[in-house]
Amino acid sequence: MAATHPTRPTRTTGAAGTAGTRTAQQQWAYGLTVFAGVMLLLAGLLGVFRGIMAIANDNVFVTTPNYVFKFDLTSWGWIHLVLGALAVVVSFGLVRPAPWARVAGVGIAGLVIIANFLSLPYYPVWSVVVIAMSGFIIWALCVVQGEESATGS
């Protein structure tokens, strides 16, 4: 078994069977993009489930009487359901990888952070976990170079 050098290009085969070279940096960028896609999928699924819980049964969550950004829990449920569904769609674009998906992924993750911050009093622990996940998603999508993650090669 031959060991590969981290800075040497490795040979890969593309979708059409043509041989191409992929550097370690490009492999790292592609891996981070897939990581962000999987994390966005998880955050989206959590948002969908949280939205369904809030729409179906308002008694699941703690209510805060004097919160500045007061919404009905059913409204919060719809907001999280829609953001979660959009996150799931964008995550498939990131794993594929589609060129539009990085920008959309950063945007959706940012909106998820804002929505979870505003709904922090209703479910604080869950909101903090999803905010942290979304921060990792934004980091992973912003740290890779544009062309390397878009082509995946």
Side-chain angles (χ1 to χ4, degrees):
M1 180 181 251
T4 59
H5 193 274
T7 58
R8 256 190 216 144
T10 57
R11 303 291 285 173
T12 59
T13 305
T18 59
T21 57
R22 184 183 289 182
T23 64
Q25 184 180 10
Q26 289 170 327
Q27 290 174 346
W28 179 253
Y30 179 69
L32 277 177
T33 304
V34 171
F35 167 78
V38 171
M39 291 294 286
L40 191 61
L41 176 68
L42 290 173
L45 289 175
L46 290 175
V48 167
F49 294 147
R50 181 177 0 181
I52 291 171
M53 288 186 320
I55 293 167
N57 190 1
D58 284 354
N59 298 334
V60 173
F61 302 105
V62 176
T63 57
T64 307
N66 296 325
Y67 187 50
V68 175
F69 304 107
K70 189 170 182 149
F71 283 104
D72 179 40
L73 282 177
T74 304
S75 301
W76 278 120
W78 281 107
I79 290 169
H80 286 290
L81 183 67
V82 169
L83 282 175
L86 287 173
V88 168
V89 170
V90 171
S91 72
F92 287 119
L94 285 171
V95 173
R96 198 166 165 246
W100 55 269
R102 271 186 60 218
V103 174
V106 170
I108 291 295
L111 290 174
V112 167
I113 287 175
I114 292 168
N116 280 286
F117 176 76
L118 293 177
S119 62
L120 201 58
Y122 298 113
Y123 24 88
V125 175
W126 192 319
S127 293
V128 169
V129 168
V130 176
I131 287 171
M133 284 176 63
S134 298
F136 280 120
I137 292 165
I138 292 172
W139 171 80
L141 291 175
C142 290
V143 78
V144 296
Q145 300 295 320
E147 197 59 35
E148 292 170 349
S149 67
T151 61
S153 58

